[in-house]
Amino acid sequence: MSKHPDRVEEALEYHRRERRGKIAVCATKPCRTQRDLSLAYTPGVAEPCRLIHKDPECVYEFTNKGNLVAVVSNGTAVLGLGNLGAAAGKPVMEGKGVLFKRFADIDVYDINLDSEDPEEIIQAVRLMAPTFGGINLEDIKAPECFEIESRLQALLPIPVFHDDQHGTAIISGAALLNALEVAGKAIDQVRVVFNGAGAAGLACARFWRELGVPADHITMCDIHGVVFKGRSAGMNPWLEVFARDTSMRTLEEAISGADVFCGLSVGGVVSAEMLQSMAPRPIVFAMANPDPEIGYEEARAARDDVIVATGRSDYPNQVNNVLGFPFLFRGALDVRAREINLPMKLAAARALARLARSEVPASVRQAYGMEDLHFGPEYIIPKPFDDRVLYHVAPAVARAAIESGVSQVQPKDLEAWLAEYRSGLIRRLGPRHELMMRVTRRLGETPVSVLLVDDQPSRVKAAARQLQEEGLVQPLLPVLDDPALQELDVLTDGLAAAAVLCGGDYAARLRGLLRHAEEQGRPFMAQLTLVCAPSRTLLVCAPTAPRCESALAWGEQLGEAAAQVVDFALELGYRPRLSVFCPREQADSECLASPALQHLRERFPDLDARMALGLDEVLDARREEPGCDDVEILAFAGPASAGLAVGLLGRMMEAELAGPLLLGSSLVVNLLPGGACADDLVRQAKLSAMMALQNE
C-alpha cells in the first residue's frame, strides 16, 4: 500500500475515468463517405491484399506493421510487485504503450498472455508476429524470460527485446560511462559489485562487460550472497557465467574497496558503513524501486564524494528505461532491422552518454523546476522529458543496425540518409520542432549577430551559451546602461525580453535604426505570432500601423501585412493557406477583406486565400490532416483581434506560442511575454536572424 493515500485515489481515478485505461485505437484515414468506406474496406482493400500476397515486403508499405510494436507479458514479474498475473499486469502494459507513443510516436497493442509456460508464450507470439514490426517482452520473470527472448529472436525476422533486461542495461551503461568520467576513473580498472541476479542484474553485468569492465573485476551477489565457483544454491546457467573463484561470501565483504555498486535487488541492503568501506569517489547505482538499496540522502550523508543514481524520479540521476526502449525501437523499425543486436545497444548507450554532456536546454530545466542543470555528479544521464533524446539516440541505433548488417534499409549515401532521417524525427516531435528545423536550415554558415535584451541576466547568459554552442547565431549581450536600450523599451511596450537583430557595432546600428524609425513615424508593418499545435502550424498576423480612414486603404495595408507573412512562410518552404478575418459586426468587413485579398492575389497568384468571419469557419472547413509542408495564415484587422485569436487558439489547440515578431523594417524585433525561458529567447533569436536574412 502506498505511503500516500491521496496518491492511491488519484492513481485509481486517473485509470478509471472515461475513457477507461490509457490507450485507444484511432483511425488514420478518413471514413466519412461511401467513397471512403469503399477504399477503407471492400472493394478497395483487396488491392493492397493482392500486392502483399505477391510480395510480403509490401506489408510495410500498405499497413501499420512498420510502426507497430506488441508489448507482451504474462504478469509474472510486474514492477516490484511480483507475480500478479496477466490481467493485473495490463495497466503496466498500457502504460508502456503510452510511453512508446509519447516519446517515439510508436503505436502499441498490449498482449497479456494467461500462461506461465514458456512454450505456450513462444508459440503465441510466433503466431501473431506477422501483425507487428517488433516485439517488446515485459514483466516476465527470470530465468524463463531468457529462453523466451532468445528462442523468439531465432524464430522471427523482427526485433524481439526484453526491456527489463536490456533497457536497464543500456541506461545504466550510459550512466556508468559518465559517472566514471566525473569520478576520473578508467572503465578497465574499476571493481564492480552487483546485488540482484534477476533479468536486469544479469543483463547489466553482461552489458557492462561489453562496455569495457573486465569480467574478473565483477562480483555478483544475490539473495544467497556472493556467486562463487562451486556454489549450488540458486544457481542456473546464466548465473554460472559470473561465478568467481573467491573466498568472499557476503555483500558486505564484496563491497569493501569496490569502485562501483550496482543494485537491482531490494531496499535497504546497503548500510552507510558499507558505503564508507568503498574506494575513493565511489559510484552507487541503487536502483531498487520504490525503495533503493541505500537512500539518496543517506548515501550523500555517508560520503560527500559519492555519485548516486537511483530508479526514482524525485532524486538526481534517475536510471529510467523510458530513455531506452522507445528510441531503440524507433531506430530499429525505421530501418526494418531483423533484431536489436549488441552494436545497436552500445550505440544507444553512448549516444545517451554524449547527450548528457551537452548544454541542457532551459525547457528541460523548467520541466523539472531546476535553475541549473549541467554535466556533473548530479547529472550523468539525460532527463526523460528531454526531446533531444529521440533525434540523438534513434539515428545512432539506425546507423549501428545498417553498419552491422541487420538492417533491410541499406542507403547508398549513409550520411545523407541519416541527416534526412534526423530531420524526419524532429518533425515527429511536432510543428514547433519542425518550424525551428526549417529556420536552422535557412541560417547560413556565417553566424548572424543578434542582440539579446532582457531584464534577467541569467536567462540572457543561458540563451547566449546555447546559441554560441550551436554556431548559427552570434549572440551579443547589451551594455545595460546604453541609452539606446531605453529607446528600445518604447518599441517593446515594456515586455520582459526581446531579441533584436543588429550588425557590426550593435549600439551604433541600433541608434541608426531607431532614428530611421522615428523619421518614418512607425518602424513596423506587421505583427506575427506563431501558434504551434500538436498537428498543425498557424501563423496569426495583423498590421501594426494606425487604421486608415478609408476601408480600401486599410484593406490594402492589411493585405501588405499578410504578404509579409506569406513571404516568411514561403522562405521556410511551407505551402501557405490564408484566411483574412473581418468582424461580423463591421459593416465594411467585406469591403475591408476584398482589397486585402486582391492585393495578395496580385502578389501571389497561386495562393489559396479566402475571407472568413470566424475561427470555427476556418478550422472546420480545413479540418483534414495537413501535410508537413502546409501552414495556415490567419490575418486579422488589428493587433487586438489577433491577440484574442492567439489566446483562444492556444487554449483550444493546446498550442505552443512564439512571438510576436514585428516585421516590415530593417529592424527585426521579437518580443517575449513574461515567464519566458532561455529556450524561448534562443528560438526568438533564430527567428529574428532568419527574418533579417530574408530582408536582405
Side-chain angles (χ1 to χ4, degrees), residues 300-516:
R300 294 289 296 164
R303 296 281 297 261
D304 59 9
D305 62 343
V306 67
I307 297 172
V308 185
T310 71
R312 295 178 54 137
S313 61
D314 51 352
Y315 294 115
N317 300 326
Q318 182 191 17
V319 178
N320 191 325
N321 282 22
V322 78
L323 286 168
F325 67 85
F327 316 109
L328 273 166
F329 271 97
R330 181 75 276 158
L333 291 173
D334 292 339
V335 296
R336 284 159 51 185
R338 292 183 290 274
E339 63 181 82
I340 294 176
N341 61 14
L342 178 60
M344 296 161 73
K345 298 170 194 174
L346 290 169
R350 289 169 178 149
L352 281 170
R354 286 193 299 271
L355 180 57
R357 300 180 192 190
S358 64
E359 180 81 20
V360 181
S363 58
V364 176
R365 300 197 304 273
Q366 196 172 49
Y368 288 88
M370 296 179 175
E371 288 290 328
D372 188 32
L373 189 63
H374 59 273
F375 181 63
E378 295 194 343
Y379 181 68
I380 57 173
I381 194 75
K383 295 289 187 181
F385 284 100
D386 189 335
D387 287 338
R388 301 173 301 164
V389 177
L390 175 62
Y391 55 86
H392 279 74
V393 175
V397 171
R399 176 194 286 274
I402 292 168
E403 292 179 342
S404 64
V406 299
S407 164
Q408 297 182 65
V409 172
Q410 291 292 330
K412 293 181 180 179
D413 186 337
L414 178 57
E415 298 306 322
W417 184 90
L418 285 169
E420 183 56 34
Y421 176 54
R422 189 173 187 268
S423 297
L425 292 171
I426 294 173
R427 281 193 290 271
R428 283 184 180 273
L429 292 172
R432 176 174 65 81
H433 290 84
E434 162 75 5
L435 171 71
M436 294 314 300
M437 180 181 69
R438 290 172 185 257
V439 169
T440 298
R441 283 178 174 173
R442 179 65 182 83
L443 295 173
E445 294 183 1
T446 303
V448 177
S449 296
V450 172
L451 173 66
L452 305 181
V453 181
D454 195 351
D455 59 0
Q456 297 184 24
S458 61
R459 182 164 58 186
V460 167
K461 290 176 182 176
R465 281 198 307 269
Q466 190 170 333
L467 290 168
Q468 196 77 48
E469 184 177 291
E470 294 177 359
L472 297 171
V473 171
Q474 178 59 47
L476 301 177
L477 303 184
V479 178
L480 294 178
D481 59 356
D482 193 306
L485 296 184
Q486 305 306 315
E487 297 181 70
L488 180 63
D489 287 341
V490 177
L491 294 177
T492 61
D493 290 334
L495 290 170
V500 183
L501 183 90
C502 62
D505 178 73
Y506 85 84
R509 172 72 168 150
L510 185 56
R511 288 193 186 98
L513 290 173
L514 287 169
R515 282 197 298 271
H516 177 68

Side-chain angles (χ1 to χ4, degrees), residues 252-321:
E252 186 173 6
E253 292 175 316
I255 204 171
S256 178
D259 296 281
V260 182
F261 169 80
C262 182
L264 292 143
S265 53
V266 295
V269 296
V270 174
S271 67
E273 291 74 21
M274 292 165 69
L275 179 55
Q276 288 165 355
S277 75
M278 293 180 70
R281 304 183 307 284
I283 296 165
V284 172
F285 291 178
M287 295 184 286
N289 248 330
D291 299 315
E293 285 79 0
I294 182 170
Y296 181 84
E297 293 93 344
E298 186 181 0
R300 294 289 296 164
R303 296 281 297 261
D304 59 9
D305 62 343
V306 67
I307 297 172
V308 185
T310 71
R312 295 178 54 137
S313 61
D314 51 352
Y315 294 115
N317 300 326
Q318 182 191 17
V319 178
N320 191 325
N321 282 22

Side-chain angles (χ1 to χ4, degrees), residues 194-274:
F194 282 89
N195 194 60
L202 290 173
C204 287
R206 290 195 299 268
F207 190 70
W208 287 21
R209 284 190 316 187
E210 298 293 343
L211 286 172
V213 177
D216 60 355
H217 287 203
I218 295 175
T219 302
M220 180 69 69
C221 302
D222 64 5
I223 194 171
H224 301 289
V226 171
V227 177
F228 59 90
K229 288 189 181 297
R231 196 185 90 171
S232 59
M235 296 300 288
N236 59 53
W238 296 276
L239 192 55
E240 192 67 49
V241 173
F242 292 96
R244 289 191 59 192
D245 187 3
T246 176
S247 61
M248 294 185 295
R249 295 294 182 266
T250 67
L251 173 61
E252 186 173 6
E253 292 175 316
I255 204 171
S256 178
D259 296 281
V260 182
F261 169 80
C262 182
L264 292 143
S265 53
V266 295
V269 296
V270 174
S271 67
E273 291 74 21
M274 292 165 69

